[in-house]
């Protein structure tokens, strides 16, 4: 491990001051579930390590004027324990339930998961479907960016030097909104997503009036599947229409081969999981075939 100067500020202002003076030569540490392994592997440049984990003002989950606000330091375990998340955003609650295992969930923060900007970041997918926004703060200034604009490329985000992601928020979906989430990994727990899907659907009788659909691990960034959304919006949500929407999502995906799955397998599973997620949200039986394990590779 390389040598670092270490700071553990107790206030956001102190942290912003410290990194504001450092230009690019600093690393933030929140829960440390990714940052510490990166440091051990020598991937982090030496300089200043700023542990923001003790800033209590960034640890909250609250509901305010029709909006859910989550402080960047809220952990995955806290999402799972939150009655607000469970009742207002079951799609996010389910993603938290499927995230890693209890040890990692106790450390991993929502802010860290988003800042990593991994295509497989499991909170990003439901939060994109919820049309979330992130607050990025620097000394004496702050800006809010739609989460769909925050991810700018593979493991790249819109944070500028001197900024900290302090909050993610989303409008509370109308109560009649149906929500679904599916994740496929190579095993049930402690597994990075091979594909993940989140959907929010609104219906008027048998017609879909609105759909928000997000995909994980099938492109350089987590993404909203806008063409697939348009394929179902204002249509009768028949099983055939759900299958067409799933086909459109698979066509929109830009998967790659990696150690977890081939691009072709990811595209196929994307189609299966979108159909499954929509069926789950709408309370319909999913008749698509189960993904075959031996096809992973
Ligand atoms: C065994 C294991 C299993 C895992 N399983 C999953 C999984 O199932 N799903 C999944 O999505 N991820 C998984 N991860 C990845 C990881 O746990 C998450 O990405 C985690 O949420 C990162 O949060 P953290 O607080 O630990 O961030 P850290 O490791 O502290 O930081 C991660 C990065 O984000 C930056 N950062 C952190 N907070 C902020 C902030 N507020 N503002 C700006 N930059 C910030 C840091 O500088 C660093 O570059 C797993 C990791 C491990 C080790």
């Amino acid at each position: 491990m390389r040598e670092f100067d270490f700071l553990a500020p107790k206030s956001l202002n102190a942290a912003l001051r410290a990194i504001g003076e450092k230009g690019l030569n600093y690393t933030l540490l929140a829960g440390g579930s990714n940052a510490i392994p990166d440091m051990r592997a020598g991937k982090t440049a030496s300089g200043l390590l700023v542990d923001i984990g003790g800033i209590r003002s960034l640890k909250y989950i609250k509901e305010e004027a029709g909006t859910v606000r989550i402080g960047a330091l809220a952990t995955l375990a806290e999402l799972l324990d939150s009655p607000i998340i469970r009742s207002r955003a079951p799609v996010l609650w389910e993603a938290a339930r499927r995230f890693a295992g209890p040890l990692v969930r106790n450390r991993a923060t929502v802010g860290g998961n988003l800042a990593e900007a991994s295509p497989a970041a499991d909170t990003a997918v439901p939060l994109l479907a919820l049309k979330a926004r992130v607050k990025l703060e620097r000394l004496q200034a702050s800006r809010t960016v739609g989460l769909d604009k925050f991810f700018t490329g593979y493991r790249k985000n819109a944070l500028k030097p001197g900024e900290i992601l302090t909050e993610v928020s989303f409008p509370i979906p109308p109560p009649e909104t149906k929500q679904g989430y599916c994740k496929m990994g190579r095993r049930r727990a402690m597994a990075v997503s091979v594909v993940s899907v989140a959907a929010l659907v609104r219906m008027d009788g048998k017609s879909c009036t609105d759909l928000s659909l997000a995909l994980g691990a099938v492109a350089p960034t987590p993404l909203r599947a806008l063409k697939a959304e348009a394929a179902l919006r204002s249509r009768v949500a028949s099983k055939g229409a759900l299958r067409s929407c799933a086909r459109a999502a698979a066509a929109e995906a830009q998967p790659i081969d990696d150690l977890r799955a081939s691009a072709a397998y990811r595209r196929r599973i994307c189609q299966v999981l979108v159909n499954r997620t929509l069926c789950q949200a709408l309370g319909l039986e999913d008749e698509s075939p189960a993904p075959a394990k031996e096809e992973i590779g």
Side-chain angles (χ1 to χ4, degrees):
M1 201 188 272
R2 296 183 185 156
E3 296 221 333
F4 293 88
D5 290 328
F6 180 76
L7 269 183
K10 295 290 175 237
S11 75
L12 177 61
N13 248 342
L16 291 173
R17 255 199 320 275
I19 65 173
E21 287 161 5
K22 270 285 169 181
L24 282 173
N25 200 13
Y26 65 87
T27 302
L28 295 176
L29 182 70
S33 63
N34 268 347
I36 298 281
D38 278 357
M39 285 168 63
R40 288 210 172 110
K43 289 186 196 165
T44 310
S46 55
L48 177 65
L49 182 64
V50 182
D51 180 358
I52 59 172
I55 304 177
R56 298 184 67 85
S57 64
L58 295 183
K59 216 170 180 27
Y60 57 86
I61 300 171
K62 59 188 177 195
E63 195 180 312
E64 239 172 43
T67 300
V68 172
R69 299 188 181 285
I70 303 172
L73 290 180
T75 62
L76 270 292
E78 285 160 351
L79 287 188
L80 209 45
D81 280 348
S82 163
I84 295 177
I85 301 301
R86 189 158 195 180
S87 62
R88 301 306 201 177
V91 68
L92 179 58
W93 187 86
E94 187 58 26
R97 192 178 73 80
R98 297 292 316 276
F99 193 107
L103 288 178
V104 176
R105 289 199 292 265
N106 283 339
R107 297 292 318 169
T109 64
V110 177
N113 193 237
L114 297 176
E116 278 279 318
S118 158
D122 278 336
T123 64
V125 178
L127 284 166
L128 274 173
L130 287 159
K131 301 180 182 157
R133 300 174 70 74
V134 284
K135 191 169 175 190
L136 312 179
E137 290 195 59
R138 60 193 307 156
L139 261 188
Q140 289 163 351
S142 82
R143 61 190 177 115
T144 303
V145 176
L147 192 57
D148 54 341
K149 304 276 184 310
F150 179 70
F151 302 115
T152 54
Y154 178 71
R155 291 190 174 274
K156 291 203 176 104
N157 63 41
L159 279 164
K160 293 186 181 150
E163 284 184 329
I164 294 180
L165 189 164
T166 55
E167 182 184 88
V168 57
S169 62
F170 55 85
I172 295 172
E176 69 277 12
T177 309
K178 298 169 191 306
Q179 306 189 20
Y181 176 82
C182 285
K183 163 175 172 169
M184 188 197 164
R186 292 185 62 121
R187 54 188 178 211
R188 280 183 190 274
M190 298 300 268
V192 174
S193 290
V194 169
V195 177
S196 67
V197 179
L200 270 74
V201 195
R202 290 177 69 189
M203 301 287 289
D204 181 7
K206 293 187 171 171
S207 289
C208 166
T209 54
D210 199 14
L211 169 64
S212 178
L213 183 67
L215 311 174
V218 293
T221 66
L223 85 160
R224 279 275 298 280
L226 299 174
K227 289 182 186 153
E229 290 177 2
L232 191 60
R233 204 174 284 129
S234 308
R235 303 242 157 89
V236 171
S238 63
K239 288 195 170 175
L242 300 192
R243 282 197 295 271
S244 300
C245 174
R247 272 197 300 277
E252 220 168 333
Q254 310 148 40
I256 54 158
D257 292 330
D258 71 9
L259 76 168
R260 286 185 195 91
S262 65
Y265 183 76
R266 279 201 156 93
R267 199 181 290 283
R268 176 156 172 244
I269 295 307
C270 177
Q271 185 173 330
V272 171
L273 280 203
V274 168
N275 194 59
R276 184 167 301 168
T277 308
L278 293 171
C279 287
Q280 186 198 91
L282 296 175
L284 301 171
E285 203 178 325
D286 170 29
E287 287 152 7
S288 49
K293 259 199 177 143
E294 60 276 12
E295 287 177 83
I296 302 181

